[in-house]
Each structure stands twice: as C-alpha cells, then as structure tokens.
Amino acid sequence: MLIPETVSVPLDTLERFMAEAWPALESSTADGWVLRSSGGVTQRANSIWPVRDAGDAGVGDNSAGNPTVALRMAENWYAARRQPVIFQLTRRPENAALEEFLGAQGYSRQSETIIMTAAAQSDVPVPSTSAPSMDFNVSCADAPDEEWLDSWWSVDGRGGAAEKQLGQGILTAAPSIYAAARNSAGDVIGTGRLTMLDGWGGVYCMGTHPDFRRQGVAAAILQELKKAASAAGAGRLWLMVTAANVGAQELYAAAGFAEEARYHYRQAPLRRAFGAC
C-alpha cells in the first residue's frame, strides 16, 4: 500500500471543486445558500450548499442571515419543483449552528461520504485488490458514448430514460475525460470520469458491472485516469466515496488516497397532506 502524502487542502477549495465538477442543471440562492436542482438525479445536484457568495462574506461563512427565512425560501423553491429539501453539509465548525437548526426541524442525517485526496503522479501503479482473471483494456475519450452511459447508469443510475438524460446533462456540463474498460467482446464493463480544475483532477463515475467486479477493472481505470491527470498537468486528485463502501475505500487507499474531509446530507421530514393516510 502506498503511504499517503500529507498536504493541507482548504475545505473551501474542495467544496468549490465538487460544486463545479458536478454542476446542477438549475440553481438559485436563498440568503447565502446555493439551491441546486437537476430533476432529482443524484443528491449532490439536488441539494443546498450553504455557502455565501465569495465576494460577500467569503466561501466557508455558512451562517445565513436568518436561517428560518432562508429555509422557507428554499422549501418554496423546491416545492415548486416537486422535490424534497436536502442539504449537503461538510463536517466543519462553520456548519455546526446549521446542523443544530436543521436537527431541530426534524431533518434526518444520511449518506455519510468521505472526500479523499492523493498526489496525481502516474508512474506509481494502482495496486489491484484482487487478481485479474480476464482480458480487458481501458481507453479514454473526451465525451461519453452511449455504451459508456449505459454502463455507468446501470451501476449508479436511479430511474428511466428521462433520468438518464438528466444525468448525462450533469456529467457533461463540465469538460471531462471519460475512461471505459472493455472486455474482449468489446463491451463496456467499467467506467470512470476525470474533471480538471485549477491544477486538480476530480475522479467521478467509478463503476464496474457486477459481473466483472473483483477482477482489477476499477484499479486499471483509476490508473488510466491518473495518467490522464498527469498529462493534463494536475498535481493532485480528489474523489468522494460513501462511508459504507469499504471495498472502494481499500482500493483508493492502496492508490495513495487519504481521507481529507467528510460530508453528509440532511433531508426534510416527510410531511403528509391534510387528510392523507
């Protein structure tokens, strides 16, 4: 296992990267909060980022002037789109008061996620957590083709053709590189995405078809994305992985990634309409 390189990274920077690399299809503001909506496809693109404008109080000042008023504005905005109100909250002192406020409003905590970072050097191979037992190759492209999209959606997607189209709109909104692993029959069995921002590379859409897991596919895709990042001049990489996905965490740790921060979501309680049962 590689020994992770210790580098201090401002959370403000990582939060901005995450917002820009996975942008919502529609957004607005409510007293310092960024409201994001993308038809309900992925929590991140349909959640509130509680950050004031950088030209106002500075990124990282997460204290809206009046959270009760801001929350009412947000609830009305999402109600008009028939979506639940969801907050994405990084674990940081600035969010403590908002956490307490939302908890008192009955907002449930869910989807604990780890942000990991690593050096982008491509000359260090990514160790596989299992022995390869099949032939496949990995290639990169500037846009996802239908096979890439179908494979990614089959692993990470929630919904039908309309939701898949929204997902495509989200992931292609930021210029990116798309890696595809293909077996000897030419079928896409794994995917990955790299988005470059200010000398950093964000790794997204890591997914392997269930029939081909534990065969080194994800490790090969990650290695190819590291090469692409180095070629593009990236010094470091970031990625997100759910706290429950221990297998993926082991792969990323073996590739030199270390935990940098965490975030989770808080979702509004279900409110039944009058007379409903």
Side-chain angles (χ1 to χ4, degrees), residues 78-142:
Y78 282 102
R81 289 154 182 77
R82 299 180 180 274
Q83 291 182 231
V85 182
I86 303 173
F87 284 78
Q88 181 183 339
L89 298 168
T90 305
R91 186 186 294 176
R92 55 190 301 169
E94 295 90 338
N95 283 332
L98 181 55
E99 289 271 19
E100 184 176 355
F101 172 75
L102 293 175
Q105 304 299 314
Y107 276 65
S108 61
R109 179 168 173 156
Q110 56 190 242
S111 304
E112 181 85 8
T113 303
I114 303 171
I115 305 170
M116 305 182 77
T117 63
Q121 73 253 38
S122 60
D123 55 337
V124 179
V126 177
S128 174
T129 55
S130 55
S133 59
M134 56 172 285
D135 292 328
F136 63 89
N137 64 81
V138 181
S139 60
C140 291
D142 293 333

CSV table of all heavy atoms in Angstrom, one decimal, residues 78-142:
chain,number,residue,atom,x,y,z
A,78,TYR,N,-38.1,24.4,-3.8
A,78,TYR,CA,-38.1,23.0,-4.1
A,78,TYR,C,-39.5,22.5,-4.2
A,78,TYR,O,-39.8,21.6,-5.0
A,78,TYR,CB,-37.3,22.2,-3.0
A,78,TYR,CG,-35.8,22.3,-3.2
A,78,TYR,CD1,-35.1,23.1,-2.4
A,78,TYR,CD2,-35.2,21.6,-4.1
A,78,TYR,CE1,-33.7,23.2,-2.5
A,78,TYR,CE2,-33.8,21.6,-4.3
A,78,TYR,CZ,-33.0,22.5,-3.5
A,78,TYR,OH,-31.7,22.6,-3.7
A,79,ALA,N,-40.5,23.1,-3.5
A,79,ALA,CA,-41.9,22.6,-3.6
A,79,ALA,C,-42.3,22.9,-5.1
A,79,ALA,O,-43.1,22.1,-5.6
A,79,ALA,CB,-42.7,23.4,-2.6
A,80,ALA,N,-41.9,24.0,-5.6
A,80,ALA,CA,-42.3,24.4,-7.0
A,80,ALA,C,-41.8,23.4,-8.0
A,80,ALA,O,-42.3,23.2,-9.1
A,80,ALA,CB,-41.8,25.8,-7.3
A,81,ARG,N,-40.7,22.6,-7.6
A,81,ARG,CA,-40.1,21.6,-8.5
A,81,ARG,C,-40.5,20.2,-8.0
A,81,ARG,O,-39.9,19.3,-8.6
A,81,ARG,CB,-38.6,21.8,-8.5
A,81,ARG,CG,-38.2,23.1,-9.2
A,81,ARG,CD,-36.9,23.7,-8.8
A,81,ARG,NE,-36.6,24.9,-9.5
A,81,ARG,CZ,-37.2,26.1,-9.3
A,81,ARG,NH1,-38.1,26.2,-8.3
A,81,ARG,NH2,-36.9,27.1,-10.0
A,82,ARG,N,-41.4,20.1,-7.1
A,82,ARG,CA,-41.8,18.8,-6.5
A,82,ARG,C,-40.7,18.0,-6.1
A,82,ARG,O,-40.6,16.8,-6.3
A,82,ARG,CB,-42.7,18.1,-7.6
A,82,ARG,CG,-43.9,18.8,-8.0
A,82,ARG,CD,-44.7,18.0,-9.0
A,82,ARG,NE,-45.9,18.8,-9.4
A,82,ARG,CZ,-47.1,18.7,-8.7
A,82,ARG,NH1,-47.2,18.0,-7.7
A,82,ARG,NH2,-48.1,19.4,-9.2
A,83,GLN,N,-39.7,18.6,-5.4
A,83,GLN,CA,-38.5,17.9,-4.8
A,83,GLN,C,-38.4,18.1,-3.3
A,83,GLN,O,-38.9,19.2,-2.8
A,83,GLN,CB,-37.3,18.4,-5.5
A,83,GLN,CG,-37.1,18.1,-7.0
A,83,GLN,CD,-35.8,18.6,-7.5
A,83,GLN,OE1,-35.7,19.2,-8.6
A,83,GLN,NE2,-34.7,18.3,-6.8
A,84,PRO,N,-37.9,17.2,-2.6
A,84,PRO,CA,-37.6,17.3,-1.2
A,84,PRO,C,-36.5,18.3,-1.0
A,84,PRO,O,-35.6,18.6,-1.8
A,84,PRO,CB,-37.2,15.9,-0.7
A,84,PRO,CG,-36.6,15.3,-2.0
A,84,PRO,CD,-37.4,15.9,-3.1
A,85,VAL,N,-36.4,18.9,0.2
A,85,VAL,CA,-35.4,19.8,0.6
A,85,VAL,C,-34.2,19.0,1.2
A,85,VAL,O,-34.4,18.3,2.2
A,85,VAL,CB,-35.8,20.9,1.6
A,85,VAL,CG1,-34.7,21.9,1.9
A,85,VAL,CG2,-37.0,21.7,1.0
A,86,ILE,N,-33.1,19.1,0.6
A,86,ILE,CA,-31.9,18.3,1.0
A,86,ILE,C,-30.7,19.3,1.2
A,86,ILE,O,-30.5,20.1,0.3
A,86,ILE,CB,-31.6,17.2,0.1
A,86,ILE,CG1,-32.8,16.3,-0.2
A,86,ILE,CG2,-30.4,16.4,0.5
A,86,ILE,CD1,-32.6,15.2,-1.2
A,87,PHE,N,-30.0,19.2,2.3
A,87,PHE,CA,-28.8,19.9,2.4
A,87,PHE,C,-27.5,19.0,2.3
A,87,PHE,O,-27.6,17.9,2.8
A,87,PHE,CB,-28.7,20.6,3.8
A,87,PHE,CG,-29.6,21.8,4.0
A,87,PHE,CD1,-31.0,21.6,4.2
A,87,PHE,CD2,-29.1,23.1,4.0
A,87,PHE,CE1,-31.8,22.7,4.4
A,87,PHE,CE2,-29.9,24.2,4.2
A,87,PHE,CZ,-31.3,24.0,4.4
A,88,GLN,N,-26.5,19.5,1.7
A,88,GLN,CA,-25.2,18.9,1.7
A,88,GLN,C,-24.3,19.6,2.6
A,88,GLN,O,-24.0,20.8,2.4
A,88,GLN,CB,-24.5,18.9,0.3
A,88,GLN,CG,-23.2,18.2,0.3
A,88,GLN,CD,-22.5,18.2,-1.1
A,88,GLN,OE1,-23.2,18.4,-2.1
A,88,GLN,NE2,-21.2,18.0,-1.1
A,89,LEU,N,-23.9,19.0,3.7
A,89,LEU,CA,-23.1,19.6,4.8
A,89,LEU,C,-21.8,19.0,5.0
A,89,LEU,O,-21.7,17.8,5.4
A,89,LEU,CB,-24.0,19.6,6.1
A,89,LEU,CG,-25.3,20.3,6.0
A,89,LEU,CD1,-26.1,20.0,7.2
A,89,LEU,CD2,-25.1,21.8,5.9
A,90,THR,N,-20.7,19.8,4.8
A,90,THR,CA,-19.4,19.3,5.1
A,90,THR,C,-19.2,19.4,6.6
A,90,THR,O,-19.7,20.3,7.2
A,90,THR,CB,-18.3,20.2,4.3
A,90,THR,OG1,-18.6,20.2,2.9
A,90,THR,CG2,-16.9,19.6,4.6
A,91,ARG,N,-18.4,18.4,7.1
A,91,ARG,CA,-18.2,18.4,8.5
A,91,ARG,C,-17.1,19.5,8.8
A,91,ARG,O,-15.9,19.3,8.6
A,91,ARG,CB,-17.7,17.0,9.0
A,91,ARG,CG,-17.5,16.9,10.5
A,91,ARG,CD,-16.8,15.6,10.8
A,91,ARG,NE,-17.7,14.5,10.6
A,91,ARG,CZ,-17.3,13.2,10.7
A,91,ARG,NH1,-16.1,12.9,11.1
A,91,ARG,NH2,-18.2,12.2,10.4
A,92,ARG,N,-17.6,20.6,9.3
A,92,ARG,CA,-16.7,21.8,9.6
A,92,ARG,C,-17.4,22.7,10.6
A,92,ARG,O,-18.6,22.7,10.7
A,92,ARG,CB,-16.4,22.6,8.4
A,92,ARG,CG,-17.6,23.0,7.6
A,92,ARG,CD,-17.2,23.6,6.2
A,92,ARG,NE,-16.3,24.7,6.3
A,92,ARG,CZ,-15.7,25.2,5.3
A,92,ARG,NH1,-15.8,24.7,4.1
A,92,ARG,NH2,-14.9,26.3,5.4
A,93,PRO,N,-16.6,23.4,11.5
A,93,PRO,CA,-17.2,24.2,12.5
A,93,PRO,C,-18.3,25.2,12.1
A,93,PRO,O,-19.2,25.5,12.7
A,93,PRO,CB,-16.0,24.9,13.1
A,93,PRO,CG,-14.8,24.0,12.8
A,93,PRO,CD,-15.2,23.4,11.5
A,94,GLU,N,-18.1,25.7,10.9
A,94,GLU,CA,-19.0,26.8,10.3
A,94,GLU,C,-20.4,26.2,10.1
A,94,GLU,O,-21.4,27.0,10.1
A,94,GLU,CB,-18.5,27.3,9.0
A,94,GLU,CG,-17.2,28.1,9.1
A,94,GLU,CD,-15.9,27.2,8.9
A,94,GLU,OE1,-16.1,26.0,9.1
A,94,GLU,OE2,-14.9,27.7,8.6
A,95,ASN,N,-20.5,24.9,10.0
A,95,ASN,CA,-21.9,24.3,9.8
A,95,ASN,C,-22.5,23.8,11.1
A,95,ASN,O,-23.7,23.3,11.0
A,95,ASN,CB,-21.7,23.1,8.9
A,95,ASN,CG,-21.6,23.5,7.4
A,95,ASN,OD1,-22.0,24.6,7.0
A,95,ASN,ND2,-20.9,22.7,6.6
A,96,ALA,N,-21.9,24.0,12.2
A,96,ALA,CA,-22.4,23.5,13.5
A,96,ALA,C,-23.8,24.1,13.8
A,96,ALA,O,-24.7,23.3,14.2
A,96,ALA,CB,-21.4,23.7,14.6
A,97,ALA,N,-23.9,25.4,13.7
A,97,ALA,CA,-25.2,26.0,14.0
A,97,ALA,C,-26.3,25.6,13.1
A,97,ALA,O,-27.4,25.3,13.5
A,97,ALA,CB,-25.1,27.5,14.0
A,98,LEU,N,-26.0,25.4,11.8
A,98,LEU,CA,-27.0,25.0,10.9
A,98,LEU,C,-27.4,23.5,11.1
A,98,LEU,O,-28.5,23.2,11.0
A,98,LEU,CB,-26.5,25.2,9.4
A,98,LEU,CG,-27.4,24.7,8.3
A,98,LEU,CD1,-28.7,25.5,8.4
A,98,LEU,CD2,-26.7,25.0,6.9
A,99,GLU,N,-26.4,22.7,11.5
A,99,GLU,CA,-26.7,21.3,11.8
A,99,GLU,C,-27.7,21.3,13.0
A,99,GLU,O,-28.7,20.5,12.9
A,99,GLU,CB,-25.4,20.6,12.2
A,99,GLU,CG,-24.4,20.3,11.1
A,99,GLU,CD,-24.7,19.0,10.4
A,99,GLU,OE1,-25.8,18.5,10.5
A,99,GLU,OE2,-23.8,18.5,9.7
A,100,GLU,N,-27.5,22.1,14.0
A,100,GLU,CA,-28.4,22.1,15.2
A,100,GLU,C,-29.8,22.6,14.8
A,100,GLU,O,-30.8,22.0,15.2
A,100,GLU,CB,-27.8,23.0,16.2
A,100,GLU,CG,-28.6,23.0,17.5
A,100,GLU,CD,-27.9,23.8,18.6
A,100,GLU,OE1,-26.8,24.3,18.4
A,100,GLU,OE2,-28.5,24.0,19.7
A,101,PHE,N,-29.8,23.6,13.9
A,101,PHE,CA,-31.1,24.2,13.5
A,101,PHE,C,-31.9,23.1,12.7
A,101,PHE,O,-33.1,22.9,12.9
A,101,PHE,CB,-30.8,25.4,12.6
A,101,PHE,CG,-32.0,26.0,11.9
A,101,PHE,CD1,-33.0,26.7,12.7
A,101,PHE,CD2,-32.2,25.8,10.6
A,101,PHE,CE1,-34.1,27.2,12.0
A,101,PHE,CE2,-33.3,26.3,9.9
A,101,PHE,CZ,-34.3,27.0,10.7
A,102,LEU,N,-31.2,22.5,11.7
A,102,LEU,CA,-31.9,21.5,10.9
A,102,LEU,C,-32.3,20.3,11.7
A,102,LEU,O,-33.4,19.7,11.5
A,102,LEU,CB,-31.0,21.1,9.7
A,102,LEU,CG,-30.7,22.1,8.7
A,102,LEU,CD1,-29.7,21.6,7.7
A,102,LEU,CD2,-32.0,22.6,8.0
A,103,GLY,N,-31.5,19.9,12.7
A,103,GLY,CA,-31.9,18.8,13.5
A,103,GLY,C,-33.2,19.1,14.3
A,103,GLY,O,-34.0,18.2,14.5
A,104,ALA,N,-33.3,20.3,14.8
A,104,ALA,CA,-34.5,20.8,15.5
A,104,ALA,C,-35.7,20.8,14.6
A,104,ALA,O,-36.8,20.7,15.1
A,104,ALA,CB,-34.3,22.1,16.1
A,105,GLN,N,-35.5,21.0,13.3
A,105,GLN,CA,-36.6,21.0,12.3
A,105,GLN,C,-37.0,19.6,11.9
A,105,GLN,O,-37.8,19.4,11.0
A,105,GLN,CB,-36.2,21.8,11.1
A,105,GLN,CG,-35.8,23.2,11.4
A,105,GLN,CD,-36.9,24.0,12.1
A,105,GLN,OE1,-38.0,24.0,11.6
A,105,GLN,NE2,-36.6,24.7,13.2
A,106,GLY,N,-36.2,18.6,12.4
A,106,GLY,CA,-36.6,17.2,12.0
A,106,GLY,C,-35.9,16.7,10.8
A,106,GLY,O,-36.2,15.6,10.2
A,107,TYR,N,-34.8,17.4,10.3
A,107,TYR,CA,-34.1,17.0,9.1
A,107,TYR,C,-33.2,15.8,9.5
A,107,TYR,O,-32.4,15.9,10.3
A,107,TYR,CB,-33.3,18.1,8.6
A,107,TYR,CG,-34.0,19.0,7.6
A,107,TYR,CD1,-35.1,19.8,8.1
A,107,TYR,CD2,-33.7,19.1,6.3
A,107,TYR,CE1,-35.8,20.7,7.3
A,107,TYR,CE2,-34.4,20.0,5.4
A,107,TYR,CZ,-35.4,20.8,5.9
A,107,TYR,OH,-36.1,21.6,5.1
A,108,SER,N,-33.4,14.7,8.8
A,108,SER,CA,-32.6,13.4,9.1
A,108,SER,C,-31.3,13.5,8.4
A,108,SER,O,-31.1,14.0,7.3
A,108,SER,CB,-33.4,12.2,8.6
A,108,SER,OG,-33.6,12.3,7.2
A,109,ARG,N,-30.3,12.9,9.1
A,109,ARG,CA,-28.9,12.8,8.6
A,109,ARG,C,-28.8,11.5,7.8
A,109,ARG,O,-29.2,10.4,8.3
A,109,ARG,CB,-27.9,12.9,9.7
A,109,ARG,CG,-26.5,12.8,9.3
A,109,ARG,CD,-25.6,13.1,10.5
A,109,ARG,NE,-24.2,12.9,10.2
A,109,ARG,CZ,-23.2,13.5,10.8
A,109,ARG,NH1,-23.4,14.4,11.7
A,109,ARG,NH2,-21.9,13.2,10.5
A,110,GLN,N,-28.1,11.5,6.6
A,110,GLN,CA,-28.0,10.4,5.8
A,110,GLN,C,-26.7,10.5,4.9
A,110,GLN,O,-26.1,11.6,4.7
A,110,GLN,CB,-29.2,10.2,4.9
A,110,GLN,CG,-29.6,11.4,4.1
A,110,GLN,CD,-30.9,11.3,3.5
A,110,GLN,OE1,-31.1,11.3,2.3
A,110,GLN,NE2,-32.0,11.2,4.3
A,111,SER,N,-26.4,9.4,4.2
A,111,SER,CA,-25.4,9.3,3.2
A,111,SER,C,-24.0,9.9,3.6
A,111,SER,O,-23.5,10.8,2.9
A,111,SER,CB,-25.9,10.0,1.9
A,111,SER,OG,-27.1,9.4,1.5
A,112,GLU,N,-23.4,9.4,4.7
A,112,GLU,CA,-22.1,9.9,5.1
A,112,GLU,C,-21.1,9.6,3.9
A,112,GLU,O,-21.0,8.4,3.4
A,112,GLU,CB,-21.7,9.2,6.3
A,112,GLU,CG,-20.3,9.6,6.9
A,112,GLU,CD,-20.4,10.8,7.7
A,112,GLU,OE1,-21.5,11.3,8.0
A,112,GLU,OE2,-19.3,11.3,8.1
A,113,THR,N,-20.3,10.6,3.5
A,113,THR,CA,-19.4,10.5,2.4
A,113,THR,C,-18.0,11.0,2.8
A,113,THR,O,-17.9,12.0,3.4
A,113,THR,CB,-20.0,11.2,1.2
A,113,THR,OG1,-21.3,10.8,0.9
A,113,THR,CG2,-19.1,11.1,0.0
A,114,ILE,N,-17.0,10.3,2.3
A,114,ILE,CA,-15.6,10.6,2.6
A,114,ILE,C,-15.0,11.3,1.4
A,114,ILE,O,-15.1,10.8,0.2
A,114,ILE,CB,-14.8,9.4,2.9
A,114,ILE,CG1,-15.4,8.7,4.1
A,114,ILE,CG2,-13.4,9.8,3.2
A,114,ILE,CD1,-14.8,7.3,4.4
A,115,ILE,N,-14.3,12.4,1.6
A,115,ILE,CA,-13.6,13.1,0.5
A,115,ILE,C,-12.1,12.7,0.7
A,115,ILE,O,-11.5,12.8,1.7
A,115,ILE,CB,-13.7,14.6,0.6
A,115,ILE,CG1,-15.1,15.1,0.6
A,115,ILE,CG2,-12.9,15.3,-0.6
A,115,ILE,CD1,-15.3,16.5,0.9
A,116,MET,N,-11.6,12.1,-0.4
A,116,MET,CA,-10.2,11.6,-0.3
A,116,MET,C,-9.3,12.4,-1.4
A,116,MET,O,-9.8,12.7,-2.4
A,116,MET,CB,-10.1,10.1,-0.6
A,116,MET,CG,-11.0,9.3,0.3
A,116,MET,SD,-10.8,7.5,0.0
A,116,MET,CE,-9.3,7.1,0.8
A,117,THR,N,-8.1,12.6,-1.1
A,117,THR,CA,-7.1,13.2,-2.0
A,117,THR,C,-5.8,12.5,-2.1
A,117,THR,O,-5.5,11.7,-1.2
A,117,THR,CB,-6.8,14.7,-1.5
A,117,THR,OG1,-6.1,14.6,-0.3
A,117,THR,CG2,-8.1,15.5,-1.4
A,118,ALA,N,-5.1,12.7,-3.2
A,118,ALA,CA,-3.9,12.0,-3.4
A,118,ALA,C,-3.0,12.8,-4.4
A,118,ALA,O,-3.5,13.6,-5.2
A,118,ALA,CB,-4.1,10.6,-3.9
A,119,ALA,N,-1.7,12.5,-4.4
A,119,ALA,CA,-0.9,13.0,-5.5
A,119,ALA,C,-1.3,12.4,-6.8
A,119,ALA,O,-1.7,11.2,-6.9
A,119,ALA,CB,0.6,12.7,-5.2
A,120,ALA,N,-1.1,13.1,-7.9
A,120,ALA,CA,-1.5,12.6,-9.2
A,120,ALA,C,-0.5,11.9,-10.0
A,120,ALA,O,-0.7,11.6,-11.1
A,120,ALA,CB,-2.0,13.8,-10.0
A,121,GLN,N,0.7,11.6,-9.4
A,121,GLN,CA,1.8,11.0,-10.2
A,121,GLN,C,1.3,9.7,-10.8
A,121,GLN,O,0.7,8.9,-10.1
A,121,GLN,CB,3.0,10.8,-9.4
A,121,GLN,CG,3.0,9.7,-8.4
A,121,GLN,CD,2.9,10.2,-7.0
A,121,GLN,OE1,2.2,11.2,-6.7
A,121,GLN,NE2,3.6,9.5,-6.0
A,122,SER,N,1.6,9.5,-12.1
A,122,SER,CA,1.1,8.4,-12.8
A,122,SER,C,2.1,7.2,-12.9
A,122,SER,O,1.8,6.2,-13.4
A,122,SER,CB,0.6,8.8,-14.2
A,122,SER,OG,1.7,9.3,-14.9
A,123,ASP,N,3.3,7.5,-12.4
A,123,ASP,CA,4.4,6.5,-12.6
A,123,ASP,C,4.3,5.4,-11.5
A,123,ASP,O,4.9,4.4,-11.5
A,123,ASP,CB,5.7,7.1,-12.6
A,123,ASP,CG,6.0,8.0,-11.3
A,123,ASP,OD1,5.0,8.4,-10.7
A,123,ASP,OD2,7.2,8.2,-11.0
A,124,VAL,N,3.4,5.7,-10.5
A,124,VAL,CA,3.2,4.7,-9.4
A,124,VAL,C,1.9,3.9,-9.7
A,124,VAL,O,0.8,4.5,-9.8
A,124,VAL,CB,3.0,5.4,-8.0
A,124,VAL,CG1,2.8,4.4,-6.9
A,124,VAL,CG2,4.2,6.2,-7.7
A,125,PRO,N,2.0,2.6,-9.9
A,125,PRO,CA,0.9,1.8,-10.3
A,125,PRO,C,-0.2,1.7,-9.2
A,125,PRO,O,0.2,1.8,-8.0
A,125,PRO,CB,1.5,0.4,-10.6
A,125,PRO,CG,2.7,0.4,-9.8
A,125,PRO,CD,3.3,1.8,-9.9
A,126,VAL,N,-1.4,1.6,-9.6
A,126,VAL,CA,-2.5,1.4,-8.7
A,126,VAL,C,-2.6,-0.1,-8.4
A,126,VAL,O,-3.0,-0.9,-9.3
A,126,VAL,CB,-3.8,1.9,-9.2
A,126,VAL,CG1,-5.0,1.7,-8.2
A,126,VAL,CG2,-3.7,3.4,-9.5
A,127,PRO,N,-2.3,-0.5,-7.2
A,127,PRO,CA,-2.5,-2.0,-6.9
A,127,PRO,C,-3.9,-2.4,-6.9
A,127,PRO,O,-4.8,-1.7,-6.5
A,127,PRO,CB,-1.9,-2.1,-5.4
A,127,PRO,CG,-1.2,-0.8,-5.2
A,127,PRO,CD,-1.9,0.2,-6.0
A,128,SER,N,-4.1,-3.6,-7.5
A,128,SER,CA,-5.5,-4.2,-7.5
A,128,SER,C,-5.7,-4.9,-6.2
A,128,SER,O,-4.8,-5.5,-5.7
A,128,SER,CB,-5.6,-5.1,-8.7
A,128,SER,OG,-6.9,-5.8,-8.7
A,129,THR,N,-6.9,-4.8,-5.7
A,129,THR,CA,-7.3,-5.5,-4.5
A,129,THR,C,-7.6,-7.0,-4.8
A,129,THR,O,-7.9,-7.7,-3.9
A,129,THR,CB,-8.5,-4.9,-3.8
A,129,THR,OG1,-9.6,-4.8,-4.7
A,129,THR,CG2,-8.1,-3.5,-3.3
A,130,SER,N,-7.6,-7.4,-6.1
A,130,SER,CA,-7.8,-8.8,-6.4
A,130,SER,C,-7.0,-9.1,-7.7
A,130,SER,O,-6.7,-8.2,-8.5
A,130,SER,CB,-9.3,-9.0,-6.6
A,130,SER,OG,-9.8,-8.1,-7.6
A,131,ALA,N,-6.8,-10.4,-7.9
A,131,ALA,CA,-6.0,-10.8,-9.1
A,131,ALA,C,-6.9,-10.8,-10.4
A,131,ALA,O,-8.0,-11.3,-10.4
A,131,ALA,CB,-5.5,-12.2,-8.9
A,132,PRO,N,-6.4,-10.1,-11.4
A,132,PRO,CA,-7.1,-10.1,-12.7
A,132,PRO,C,-7.3,-11.5,-13.2
A,132,PRO,O,-6.4,-12.3,-13.2
A,132,PRO,CB,-6.2,-9.2,-13.6
A,132,PRO,CG,-5.4,-8.4,-12.7
A,132,PRO,CD,-5.2,-9.3,-11.5
A,133,SER,N,-8.5,-11.8,-13.7
A,133,SER,CA,-8.7,-13.1,-14.3
A,133,SER,C,-9.4,-13.0,-15.6
A,133,SER,O,-10.0,-14.0,-16.1
A,133,SER,CB,-9.7,-13.9,-13.3
A,133,SER,OG,-10.9,-13.2,-13.1
A,134,MET,N,-9.3,-11.9,-16.3
A,134,MET,CA,-9.9,-11.7,-17.6
A,134,MET,C,-9.1,-10.7,-18.4
A,134,MET,O,-8.4,-9.9,-17.8
A,134,MET,CB,-11.3,-11.3,-17.5
A,134,MET,CG,-11.5,-10.0,-16.7
A,134,MET,SD,-13.2,-9.4,-16.7
A,134,MET,CE,-13.3,-8.8,-18.4
A,135,ASP,N,-9.3,-10.7,-19.7
A,135,ASP,CA,-8.6,-9.7,-20.6
A,135,ASP,C,-9.6,-8.5,-20.8
A,135,ASP,O,-10.8,-8.7,-21.1
A,135,ASP,CB,-8.3,-10.3,-21.9
A,135,ASP,CG,-7.2,-11.4,-21.8
A,135,ASP,OD1,-6.3,-11.3,-20.9
A,135,ASP,OD2,-7.2,-12.4,-22.6
A,136,PHE,N,-9.0,-7.3,-20.6
A,136,PHE,CA,-9.8,-6.1,-20.9
A,136,PHE,C,-8.8,-5.0,-21.2
A,136,PHE,O,-7.6,-5.1,-20.8
A,136,PHE,CB,-10.7,-5.8,-19.7
A,136,PHE,CG,-10.0,-5.5,-18.5
A,136,PHE,CD1,-9.6,-4.2,-18.2
A,136,PHE,CD2,-9.8,-6.5,-17.5
A,136,PHE,CE1,-9.0,-3.9,-17.0
A,136,PHE,CE2,-9.1,-6.2,-16.3
A,136,PHE,CZ,-8.7,-4.9,-16.0
A,137,ASN,N,-9.3,-3.9,-21.8
A,137,ASN,CA,-8.4,-2.8,-22.0
A,137,ASN,C,-9.2,-1.5,-21.6
A,137,ASN,O,-10.4,-1.5,-21.6
A,137,ASN,CB,-8.0,-2.7,-23.4
A,137,ASN,CG,-9.1,-2.5,-24.4
A,137,ASN,OD1,-9.6,-1.4,-24.6
A,137,ASN,ND2,-9.6,-3.6,-25.0
A,138,VAL,N,-8.4,-0.5,-21.3
A,138,VAL,CA,-9.0,0.8,-20.9
A,138,VAL,C,-8.6,1.9,-21.8
A,138,VAL,O,-7.4,2.0,-22.2
A,138,VAL,CB,-8.6,1.2,-19.4
A,138,VAL,CG1,-9.2,2.5,-19.0
A,138,VAL,CG2,-8.9,0.1,-18.4
A,139,SER,N,-9.6,2.7,-22.3
A,139,SER,CA,-9.3,3.8,-23.2
A,139,SER,C,-10.0,5.0,-22.7
A,139,SER,O,-11.0,4.9,-21.9
A,139,SER,CB,-9.7,3.4,-24.6
A,139,SER,OG,-11.1,3.2,-24.7
A,140,CYS,N,-9.6,6.2,-23.2
A,140,CYS,CA,-10.2,7.4,-22.7
A,140,CYS,C,-10.7,8.2,-23.9
A,140,CYS,O,-10.2,8.1,-25.0
A,140,CYS,CB,-9.2,8.3,-22.0
A,140,CYS,SG,-8.7,7.7,-20.4
A,141,ALA,N,-11.7,9.0,-23.7
A,141,ALA,CA,-12.4,9.9,-24.7
A,141,ALA,C,-12.8,11.2,-24.1
A,141,ALA,O,-12.9,11.3,-22.9
A,141,ALA,CB,-13.5,9.1,-25.4
A,142,ASP,N,-13.0,12.2,-24.9
A,142,ASP,CA,-13.4,13.5,-24.4
A,142,ASP,C,-14.9,13.6,-24.2
A,142,ASP,O,-15.4,14.6,-23.7
A,142,ASP,CB,-13.0,14.6,-25.4
A,142,ASP,CG,-11.5,14.7,-25.5
A,142,ASP,OD1,-10.8,14.4,-24.5
A,142,ASP,OD2,-11.0,15.1,-26.6
